[in-house]
């Protein structure tokens, strides 16, 4: 089992972060370290980190920069990047270790919506799997990577959105980037609030604009205005 460093950006996400840290503590295999990069300088976040023996760093509210700060401090053989609202499968470290031992430079987990689910989830999940195969898996799918490969690939772009895109593209040029069968569960509350099809369409339009050359900073402002409460 390689040593894992887990990097989690946080910005006013203390409630889901507490759930995630609890799940991490209960895993059958434990990481070398958990690094939280707090962009709100929150006392509650600091307390959660202390209770979970996690390292807390601070940074500006830009997910790409937060991830880069955490990765720069990480010491594990493999870096695993998680969103604060992720929900985990039974033994994700073993699944990643097996992929690395089979020669993968990194990879990502299968996208699954967490409960409560609705019928569109069963259509969107295979569509997302196809998009990841021909395009880019996003950060909510628990991207992991050998630490040396991460730095060789240039790390996360210092962007607030689509920060993983150039990293994954570069990593794929360096070796096999594995699509794991094991799921990671993504909070469905925003899809339920905004409408499953409406939110998915908005996300695809943003991705198309990004691929057409739009600035990630401009897209992030549009993303939050349309998708966040």
């Amino acid at each position: 089992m390689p040593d894992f460093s887990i990097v989690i950006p946080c910005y006013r996400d203390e409630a889901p972060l507490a759930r995630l840290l609890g799940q991490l503590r209960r895993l059958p295999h434990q990481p070398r370290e958990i690094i939280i990069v707090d962009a709100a300088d929150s006392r509650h976040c600091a307390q959660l980190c202390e209770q979970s023996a996690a390292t807390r760093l601070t940074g500006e509210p830009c997910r790409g920069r937060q991830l880069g700060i955490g990765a720069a401090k990480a010491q594990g053989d493999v870096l695993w990047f998680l969103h604060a609202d992720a929900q985990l499968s039974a033994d994700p470290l073993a699944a990643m270790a097996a992929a690395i031992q089979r020669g993968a430079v990194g990879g990502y987990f299968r996208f699954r919506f967490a409960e409560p689910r609705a019928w569109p989830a069963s259509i969107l999940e295979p569509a997302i799997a196809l998009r990841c195969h021909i395009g880019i898996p996003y950060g909510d799918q628990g991207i992991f990577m050998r630490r040396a490969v991460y730095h060789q690939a240039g790390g996360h772009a210092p962007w607030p959105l689509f920060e993983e895109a150039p990293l994954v593209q570069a990593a794929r040029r360096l070796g096999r980037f594995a699509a794991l069968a094991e799921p990671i569960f993504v909070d469905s509350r925003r899809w339920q609030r905004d409408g499953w099809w409406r939110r998915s369409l908005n996300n695809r339009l943003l991705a198309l604009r990004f691929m057409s050359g739009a600035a990630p900073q401009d897209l992030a402002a549009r993303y939050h205005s349309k998708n966040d409460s």
Side-chain angles (χ1 to χ4, degrees):
M1 177 72 69
D3 284 339
F4 283 88
S5 292
I6 299 175
V7 179
I8 306 170
C10 182
Y11 182 65
R12 299 174 181 169
D13 298 314
E14 288 83 2
L17 177 63
R19 178 184 60 201
L20 175 59
L21 290 172
Q23 288 186 310
L24 289 170
R25 286 195 298 268
R26 294 190 294 271
L27 292 179
H29 298 96
Q30 288 295 300
R32 171 175 177 161
E33 60 186 350
I34 300 172
I35 300 173
I36 311 296
V37 187
D38 178 14
D41 200 11
S42 161
R43 177 172 296 183
H44 188 190
C45 183
Q47 292 171 341
L48 290 173
C49 292
E50 183 176 357
Q51 292 165 5
S52 299
T55 299
R56 176 176 170 268
L57 306 173
T58 58
E60 62 182 284
C62 170
R63 195 163 58 206
R65 293 186 185 277
Q66 289 171 258
L67 291 164
I69 289 170
K73 295 291 186 180
Q75 297 298 311
D77 305 315
V78 180
L79 308 182
W80 186 24
F81 302 99
L82 288 175
H83 287 187
D85 62 355
Q87 299 179 45
L88 307 179
S89 54
D91 198 357
L93 269 65
M96 290 185 286
I100 293 293
Q101 289 161 2
R102 290 193 295 267
V105 300
Y108 60 96
F109 287 77
R110 181 165 57 95
F111 184 107
R112 289 290 306 276
F113 285 105
E115 297 291 346
R117 293 165 57 88
W119 68 266
S122 299
I123 299 173
L124 290 171
E125 287 165 351
I128 290 169
L130 177 61
R131 184 259 295 164
C132 293
H133 178 70
I134 63 178
I136 298 293
Y138 296 147
D140 54 8
Q141 290 178 250
I143 289 171
F144 64 96
M145 200 171 298
R146 291 180 183 269
R147 180 160 58 95
V149 171
Y150 175 86
H151 292 296
Q152 187 178 355
H156 285 90
W159 303 337
L161 199 66
F162 299 114
E163 70 282 350
E164 64 284 288
L167 171 64
V168 171
Q169 290 169 340
R172 280 175 164 162
R173 291 192 291 268
L174 295 172
R176 184 171 64 85
F177 203 70
L180 301 187
E182 288 77 8
I184 197 166
F185 297 93
V186 176
D187 197 322
S188 63
R189 69 186 187 279
R190 295 186 182 95
W191 278 266
Q192 296 177 52
R193 182 195 64 202
D194 300 339
W196 291 81
W197 302 117
R198 176 176 173 270
R199 183 178 180 87
S200 298
L201 176 60
N202 285 337
N203 289 348
R204 289 300 90 224
L205 291 175
L206 285 169
L208 288 172
R209 292 189 64 197
F210 171 72
M211 290 186 290
S212 298
Q217 294 80 2
D218 296 338
L219 296 177
R222 181 178 178 85
Y223 173 86
H224 292 301
S225 70
K226 284 187 171 294
N227 287 332
D228 287 353
S229 56

